[in-house]
Amino acid sequence: MSSAATLRHFRAGHPAQPQELDAMLLWPALALLLFGMVMVYSASIATAEGSRFTGHQPAYFLIRHGVFLTIGLIAAVVVFQVPLRVWQKGAPWLFLLGVALLVLVLIPYIGREVNGARRWLPLGLVNLQPSELMKLFAVLYAADYTVRKLADMGSFRRGFVPMALVMALICGLLLREPDFGAFVVVICIAMGILFLGGINARLFTVLFVFLALAFVVMIWMSPYRRERIFGFMDPWSDAYGKGYQLSHALIAFGRGEWFGVGLGGSVEKLFYLPEAHTDFLLAVIAEELGLVGVLAVIALFGVIVQRAFAIGRQALQLERAYAGLVAQGIGIWIGVQAFINMGVNMGLLPTKGLTLPLMSFGGSGILANCVALAILMRVDWENRALMRGQAV
């Protein structure tokens, strides 16, 4: 279907003047951001009060999270003004910037090491986590690569190998930190966009099997990852050791029952559940707000992912391949990361250092999520402008 025919088709099916912004995307995103701020405060009060690092200030993490959220929203407003064609032109350069940051964080005395992992670049009052920005850069670059190689998507050598080599470099750097969670998300983003871009189905199946085997080998050859797997399979066998985090997360889910013990009433956040305001925020939500609260969070994420794919599909129908793949890539990123975090909290997946998008404490993650949603809303805005016959 030509661009003119597509435009007539959409005008015929959409006689009413479309709204400027997608309310079904905007409001769930804002709801998760604001709800996350409330739950970060609830989950972090005891930790903040009991730590000399925070000056025993109960609102320490709330204030920092509020600052991060403000910066993220301001960045989102600015990013929304940037046309998708600018992002496409800058995608390779942003990707190179991400690679440089991943290399920089591994250099001793430059990257900051916490609990055996070197993932942060200290920038005065805040720390930058390059792996969070790399997820966004991976979406932009993978979409640009796929659009440039559309004619070669059926070829292993011309379509897949160049992308595989680039992603192997990124994943090698992430595993050096180590950040296995970010590694999984970046692989899912790249493979998902290649699949949506039309990579050969047989080749995709072979690659999927190869990646699955590679994951098994990496886990088996890494003692601490093996311990996580064993702890995941039976956390109660060593509830004070390798199963400590998962066992307390499951206790939090059990205590919450249907409607929870009430906002602020969690016991597990009182120094029992590690990383309650970051990796295990959902467990605190489950304890305080119960199954109803957890289902509400899942539903909001489901709406955002559905809208991302719908916006991407609409862009593809308007012959905007790059915009469509970026939108769907953002949907893959948010959906996969939320699924993994929720699976870890519920005991369905082994423990990984992945936060809950839009909700967990962390400046780099909030910034990257807000920018990604702004780009997604820009794709939708440009779609609507094209359907009105306006230039973008």
Side-chain angles (χ1 to χ4, degrees):
M1 185 182 292
S2 68
S3 299
T6 303
L7 184 57
R8 287 194 299 270
H9 167 77
F10 274 105
R11 282 176 172 173
H14 298 77
Q17 183 79 355
Q19 297 178 354
E20 289 297 318
L21 297 176
D22 187 345
M24 288 298 291
L25 173 63
L26 176 63
W27 293 115
L30 288 176
L32 286 173
L33 287 169
L34 295 177
F35 183 38
M37 189 170 181
V38 171
M39 293 311 304
V40 163
Y41 182 43
S42 177
S44 65
I45 292 176
T47 302
E49 280 186 327
S51 173
R52 289 183 298 175
F53 172 75
T54 64
H56 304 286
Q57 296 295 322
Y60 176 83
F61 291 104
L62 171 66
I63 294 171
R64 288 177 67 86
H65 192 75
V67 171
F68 296 149
L69 183 55
T70 301
I71 294 172
L73 291 174
I74 293 172
V77 172
V78 173
V79 165
F80 180 76
Q81 313 302 320
V82 181
L84 260 293
R85 63 178 181 274
V86 176
W87 289 110
Q88 185 172 7
K89 290 179 181 178
W93 301 107
L94 289 173
F95 191 78
L96 288 175
L97 172 62
V99 173
L101 292 175
L102 289 179
V103 171
L104 197 62
V105 80
L106 294 175
I107 300 175
Y109 306 109
I110 294 180
R112 181 185 177 192
E113 184 173 342
V114 178
N115 297 328
R118 193 183 297 274
R119 302 177 185 173
W120 298 270
L121 289 172
L123 302 177
L125 297 176
V126 298
N127 295 314
L128 176 68
Q129 190 170 356
S131 60
E132 291 294 338
L133 299 181
M134 195 67 225
K135 296 170 189 175
L136 174 61
F137 298 159
V139 170
L140 298 174
Y141 178 76
D144 175 57
Y145 176 87
T146 304
V147 169
R148 286 188 283 109
K149 296 281 189 175
L150 277 177
D152 298 321
M153 279 294 103
S155 169
F156 176 79
R157 182 175 61 85
R158 296 189 304 273
F160 175 75
V161 170
M163 184 67 166
L165 293 175
V166 170
M167 286 301 159
L169 169 64
I170 297 305
C171 293
L173 293 172
L174 289 172
L175 291 175
R176 286 286 297 168
E177 294 185 7
D179 194 342
F180 191 70
F183 162 76
V184 172
V185 173
V186 169
I187 285 292
C188 289
I189 290 170
M191 292 298 294
I193 290 178
L194 286 175
F195 176 76
L196 294 170
I199 193 172
N200 182 279
R202 183 179 300 175
L203 173 59
F204 183 82
T205 302
V206 172
L207 292 172
F208 181 82
V209 173
F210 173 77
L211 285 173
L213 293 174
F215 283 145
V216 172
V217 171
M218 282 188 293
I219 290 171
W220 188 255
M221 294 182 65
S222 175
Y224 87 92
R225 291 193 186 109
R226 285 205 309 271
E227 290 298 313
R228 284 188 172 185
I229 292 291
F230 295 144
F232 153 73
M233 295 174 64
D234 186 9
W236 307 109
S237 63
D238 188 10
Y240 294 100
K242 58 180 178 286
Y244 183 81
Q245 289 177 305
L246 179 54
S247 61
H248 281 282
L250 294 176
I251 290 171
F253 271 86
R255 290 192 75 244
E257 297 184 349
W258 287 97
F259 300 102
V261 298
L263 185 63
S266 169
V267 171
E268 287 301 315
K269 69 185 181 185
L270 303 178
F271 304 102
Y272 293 105
L273 184 62
E275 311 296 340
H277 58 300
T278 55
D279 299 356
F280 286 91
L281 187 67
L282 188 70
V284 178
I285 294 173
E287 186 176 4
E288 297 189 348
L289 302 177
L291 178 63
V292 172
V294 173
L295 290 178
V297 171
I298 293 174
L300 290 171
F301 275 111
V303 171
I304 290 175
V305 173
Q306 186 276 329
R307 290 308 306 152
F309 275 86
I311 290 168
R313 184 170 60 251
Q314 186 180 65
L316 293 172
Q317 289 173 330
L318 289 168
E319 300 181 2
R320 305 178 64 230
Y322 179 73
L325 291 175
V326 165
Q328 294 181 343
I330 291 171
I332 292 171
W333 166 19
I334 293 176
V336 166
Q337 184 164 333
F339 175 80
I340 293 175
N341 178 273
M342 292 175 183
V344 167
N345 276 253
M346 297 177 188
L348 303 176
L349 294 172
T351 304
K352 289 182 177 65
L354 276 179
T355 57
L356 190 59
L358 303 172
M359 298 188 71
S360 292
F361 176 81
S364 300
I366 289 292
L367 175 62
N369 294 158
C370 288
V371 169
L373 286 174
I375 294 174
L376 180 58
M377 296 193 74
R378 177 71 192 195
V379 174
D380 177 65
W381 185 87
E382 290 186 3
N383 287 348
R384 293 165 185 262
L386 283 173
M387 289 190 295
R388 294 196 298 269
Q390 298 175 352
V392 294

